[in-house]
Amino acid sequence: VLATNIAETSLTIPGVTAVVDSGLAKTPEWDPARGLGATRTIEISQQSATQRAGRAGRTAPGIAFRMWTKESHFARPKAEAPRIRKTDPAEVLLQVLAFHPGDPRDFDFLEPPTPGAMEAGLALLDRLGALANDLISLSPLGKSLARLPLHPRLGKILLTAPEPHRRRAACLAAILADIDAFDRRHGIRGSEAHGARDCDVGWRADLLEVTFDPSMEKEIGRLLAMVSRGGRAVDEAGDALSDGGLLLPGYPDRVCRRRAAGLPRGKMGKTSGVRLSEGSGVRQGDLFIALRARAPRGKRNPEAMVDLASRIELADLKRAFPDLIDTRNEAVFDEESGRVFGEEQLLFGDLVIGRKPARCDQKIVAQLLAIEATARFDTLFKPSQSAATLMDRIRFTSGLLPDHEWPDV
């Protein structure tokens, strides 16, 4: 028997006296870079190896051949991490909310997600529109998403795609679900540049127009059938939509604004910096969504690296998330000119996505100038030699006579 995960079950096959164990297993894991689940090939734990070897001795003495060294065996983890720690919290919480009324934080998990993962999962479900106003029960859209055996990001993409774009949305979702396998089949190296594009997933979808991929056709058909059975959240005629416009409903938390035209650097949310990698072809446009973003590597590299992106327009944001668009007036200090300017900021959540000049309250201007002047006191207010001498005398004398009132210099 060639051992797989099935060999770790209590299954007994008569006559088996030998096991050949590769030491590998395919297991579902949460990929934080894409915000999706993925299947990964990993090295099994010592515990799993013992379970697999046991298949050779169920009915008679047997032998297990392990395809790795004895030294490396003891470097493996002793046991597998709980499956829920490898699963996207949003996906788990969506299913919990579907069958368990009440706050999911009170649900009696066998192995609960970490508090941070729990809050992150609920926050994503809320931004996707899957939660009702109480934030602990499902909205009508959330109930539709729970009926689909898909990650809620992909489910939202499919359910919100207008009829004329439904197949294209299914194609994009199918590629995103397992883009690494797609790239291997088509000989694509994701780390290499493939020319300027508006969507790093869209040009892959275009390949399917000229290349027959039976596994992809099967998956696209499965997704379309699922949506038909599960019901539609929207059913609009739909104007012409870009690939970014189709993908955006599943990635409200990954909207980025380019720092300057043509630059690969951008901002995601209020504080997070991002940089488009060489492998991304999204070179133009002020706004884009980060479909795959690797976490920053320490203080020297504080920006997340975006390997997969898609350009979007302001109209896409207004269509998909009108409630998250807002405006505010701000006073901004310009360091180069040393002046305060008023501006009206257009916001998507915490992210500033547009600016235009606006009048500013003079009291706010005075307060901001005072703050900036205080921070730059030594530069802006350089005392003359005689003034500096006087200040030194005051400091010296105040030290000798501390009971008297002296100016703070």
Side-chain angles (χ1 to χ4, degrees):
V1 169
L2 183 64
T4 65
N5 295 28
I6 297 175
E8 298 176 37
T9 68
S10 58
L11 178 68
T12 299
I13 303 176
V16 173
T17 57
V19 166
V20 179
D21 190 354
S22 68
L24 302 174
K26 282 190 173 181
T27 181
E29 288 189 353
W30 178 38
D31 181 359
R34 291 182 301 145
L36 294 172
T39 300
R40 297 281 183 263
T41 300
I42 63 169
E43 292 186 345
I44 63 171
S45 66
Q46 297 178 37
Q47 185 183 72
S48 294
T50 301
Q51 283 287 98
R52 292 184 179 190
R55 299 313 98 193
R58 294 286 288 179
T59 58
I63 187 170
F65 297 94
R66 290 174 175 167
M67 301 292 100
W68 63 95
T69 66
K70 188 174 182 180
E71 289 76 14
S72 66
H73 177 77
F74 293 103
R76 293 172 179 243
K78 290 187 177 180
E80 301 291 340
R83 178 62 59 86
I84 199 168
R85 300 289 170 86
K86 301 179 180 181
T87 306
D88 186 346
E91 198 167 6
V92 172
L93 292 170
L94 180 66
Q95 296 306 317
V96 170
L97 288 166
F99 70 82
H100 176 75
D103 194 331
R105 300 174 187 85
D106 299 329
F107 182 71
D108 189 18
F109 289 95
L110 192 62
E111 290 281 353
T114 63
M118 178 84 74
E119 296 307 318
L122 289 172
L124 176 58
L125 291 177
D126 183 34
R127 298 200 74 171
L128 290 173
L131 299 184
N133 292 334
D134 60 7
L135 301 181
I136 57 171
S137 60
L138 294 181
S139 65
L141 172 61
K143 293 175 182 178
S144 295
L145 290 173
R147 287 194 290 268
L148 299 176
L150 292 171
H151 189 281
R153 289 188 191 273
L154 301 182
K156 178 75 179 290
I157 290 169
L158 291 174
L159 288 177
T160 54
E163 178 65 34
H165 306 283
R166 198 182 302 178
R167 179 177 171 81
R168 181 69 174 187
C171 183
L172 295 171
I175 294 173
L176 263 178
D178 202 354
I179 195 166
D180 294 331
F182 180 89
D183 285 355
R184 284 194 299 271
R185 286 198 305 273
H186 293 270
I188 298 170
R189 297 186 64 177
S191 60
E192 295 178 352
H194 299 277
R197 316 272 181 176
D198 280 346
C199 180
D200 292 324
V201 180
W203 72 264
R204 287 170 167 86
D206 293 340
L207 288 177
L208 299 179
E209 300 294 330
V210 295
T211 305
F212 181 63
D213 186 332
S215 63
M216 284 300 302
E217 287 298 323
K218 181 178 179 181
E219 181 64 11
I220 291 169
R222 185 181 77 90
L223 294 178
L224 291 173
M226 256 192 271
V227 175
S228 297
R229 291 194 302 269
R232 305 272 300 154
V234 297
D235 192 14
E236 52 191 80
D239 299 325
L241 279 178
S242 65
D243 290 332
L246 290 171
L247 293 169
L248 174 60
Y251 290 87
D253 55 327
R254 297 291 189 88
V255 174
C256 307
R257 184 175 189 268
R258 205 179 295 269
R259 293 189 183 274
L263 289 183
R265 300 176 64 231
K267 197 173 181 182
M268 180 167 62
K270 190 175 183 179
T271 58
S272 301
V274 298
R275 177 184 290 271
L276 291 159
S277 73
E278 292 292 330
S280 174
V282 180
R283 316 278 171 77
Q284 303 297 324
D286 289 338
L287 301 172
F288 61 91
I289 44 177
L291 300 171
R292 173 186 276 176
R294 288 175 276 149
R297 297 182 177 179
K299 294 182 179 179
R300 292 188 178 182
N301 298 291
E303 297 173 316
M305 188 64 71
V306 178
D307 297 316
L308 293 174
S310 182
R311 177 178 176 174
I312 57 172
E313 304 295 339
L314 177 58
D316 296 320
L317 288 173
K318 290 181 176 179
R319 171 188 170 273
F321 299 104
D323 294 341
L324 295 180
I325 303 289
D326 197 6
T327 59
R328 72 180 177 197
N329 287 345
E330 285 284 318
V332 179
F333 179 76
D334 182 68
E335 293 191 10
E336 190 172 326
S337 64
R339 298 175 60 191
V340 173
F341 294 94
E343 66 178 22
E344 182 183 281
Q345 297 178 346
L346 184 64
L347 301 170
F348 177 74
D350 292 331
L351 178 67
V352 178
I353 58 175
R355 292 180 169 91
K356 65 180 181 180
R359 298 194 64 173
C360 191
D361 188 293
Q362 292 305 305
K363 289 184 178 180
I364 297 176
V365 171
Q367 291 172 357
L368 187 55
L369 282 174
I371 293 171
E372 296 296 334
T374 302
R376 297 165 173 77
F377 183 85
D378 291 339
T379 302
L380 296 175
F381 303 102
K382 291 183 178 180
S384 64
Q385 183 61 46
S386 59
T389 301
L390 175 61
M391 292 166 66
D392 288 338
R393 289 176 176 174
I394 292 174
R395 293 190 192 100
F396 177 75
T397 308
S398 64
L400 294 175
L401 303 170
D403 294 335
H404 291 69
E405 290 187 8
W406 299 98
D408 184 9
V409 294

